[in-house]
Amino acid sequence: MKAVLFDLDGVITDTAKFHFLAWRELGAELGIEVDEKFNEELKGVSRLDSLERILAQGGVSDKYSPAEKETLCTKKNEHYLELIQEMTPDDILPGILPLLEELRAAELKTIITSASKNAPGILALLQVRDYFDDIVDPATVAAGKPAPDIFLAGASLAGVQPADCIGVEDAASGVEAIKAAAIAAVAVGDERVLWLADHVLPSTANLSLAVLRRTWMKAKANG
Ligand code: BG6
Ligand code: MG
C-alpha cells in the first residue's frame, strides 16, 4: 500500500449535512421534496448530476434549459457556501487528524479524490491542505462517481498503480467508483448502504493506518 485516496465530504468533515440542507431548500423552491433517504443517492454525486437527479425525482427532467440548470446549481452553491463559511479545524471528523499524522510519518502519498469543486476552499478552512500531496480537479475527469475516473486520476497523481492504493469513502457512489477502479475500499457509515466496500467502519474514529493496511491486504487476497 503506497497511497491513500480520500473522499472529502463525509470523510474529512461533515459537509454532507450542508449539501443536504442546500439541496432540500432548492428542491422546495422547485416543488420537489428532497428527504434524507433520497439525499443518500446524491452523496458523492457532482453538483450538476445531483440537480439532474432531483429534477428526475420531481418528474421535471425536461423543464429547464442548460443555462437555467447552471443558475440553479449556482444558487445551491451560494447557499452551501454560506452554510460552510463558519467551518474551522474543530469540524474535522474524529480520527482524521491522527490518521493523517500516521500517513505522513509512514511516508504514504495522500490525495483528495472528491467530486467537490469546493474542496480546496474547505481544506483551507480546516487548515489541513498540507497533509495532502495533491487534489484531483474534478473538472478534469471525464465521468463522475460511480465511474472510476477520479480514483484512477488520484492513483496517477500519486504516481502509483491503482493496486497500490486504498480509497476512503462515505457514499455508495464513491465505493462503487473505487471498486470499479480495482482499488481497495474502506467505507465509513451504514454497512447496508456501503456493502460493496472491502471493509465498513461505523465512524471515522475507527480509521487508522493499521485498519487501512489490513483492508488493503484483504482486498489484495480477494483479488
Ligand atoms: C461530493 C458531495 O463530495 O461533492 C456531493 O458528496 C456534492 O454531495 C459533490 O454534490 C459536488 O460538490 P460541490 O462542492 O462541487 O458542489
Ligand atoms: Mg463523501
Side-chain angles (χ1 to χ4, degrees):
M1 188 177 96
K2 296 178 182 161
V4 185
L5 311 179
F6 281 93
D7 177 44
L8 172 72
D9 296 310
V11 170
I12 307 289
T13 185
D14 189 15
T15 38
K17 64 184 179 218
F18 298 124
H19 280 295
F20 170 53
L21 290 175
W23 282 129
R24 192 175 62 178
E25 184 166 305
L26 188 83
E29 283 175 32
L30 304 176
I32 303 165
E33 190 189 347
V34 177
D35 61 15
E36 289 211 49
K37 185 163 178 286
F38 175 57
N39 182 62
E40 203 56 47
E41 292 173 35
L42 304 179
K43 284 188 183 172
V45 175
S46 78
R47 202 179 303 165
L48 182 59
D49 287 348
S50 297
L51 177 67
E52 301 279 13
R53 287 187 191 207
I54 291 167
L55 296 178
Q57 167 83 355
V60 287
S61 290
D62 301 326
K63 188 171 173 186
Y64 301 95
S65 69
E68 285 169 331
K69 287 179 187 170
E70 197 56 48
T71 305
L72 292 172
C73 281
T74 303
K75 192 168 183 188
K76 180 267 174 177
N77 194 52
E78 280 167 0
H79 182 199
Y80 174 71
L81 289 175
E82 264 171 45
L83 293 172
I84 65 166
Q85 71 170 343
E86 304 293 327
M87 277 193 346
T88 70
D90 289 342
D91 294 301
I92 299 166
L93 283 169
I96 293 296
L97 272 183
L99 174 65
L100 292 172
E101 293 283 358
E102 273 193 297
L103 297 176
R104 266 287 109 102
E107 296 183 4
L108 289 170
K109 291 274 184 196
T110 49
I111 308 286
I112 291 285
T113 41
S114 167
S116 175
K117 293 178 179 162
N118 294 303
I122 291 169
L123 294 174
L125 285 170
L126 300 175
Q127 298 174 23
V128 290
R129 174 62 185 88
D130 291 348
Y131 284 105
F132 298 97
D133 294 296
D134 224 324
I135 304 172
V136 177
D137 178 355
T140 62
V141 300
K145 301 172 188 180
D149 306 33
I150 195 160
F151 287 99
L152 293 173
S156 167
L157 271 185
V160 304
Q161 294 300 316
D164 290 323
C165 297
I166 186 162
V168 188
E169 264 289 349
D170 72 312
S173 63
V175 171
E176 203 180 323
I178 297 174
K179 295 316 299 176
I183 289 174
V186 64
V188 179
D190 187 339
E191 203 155 2
R192 287 164 302 181
V193 176
L194 304 166
W195 55 274
L196 211 54
D198 296 294
H199 192 49
V200 184
L201 302 166
S203 155
T204 53
N206 306 104
L207 285 166
S208 66
L209 176 54
V211 167
L212 295 188
R213 282 202 203 282
R214 269 206 302 278
T215 306
W216 183 80
M217 294 293 289
K218 181 181 162 193
K220 200 176 152 152
N222 291 342

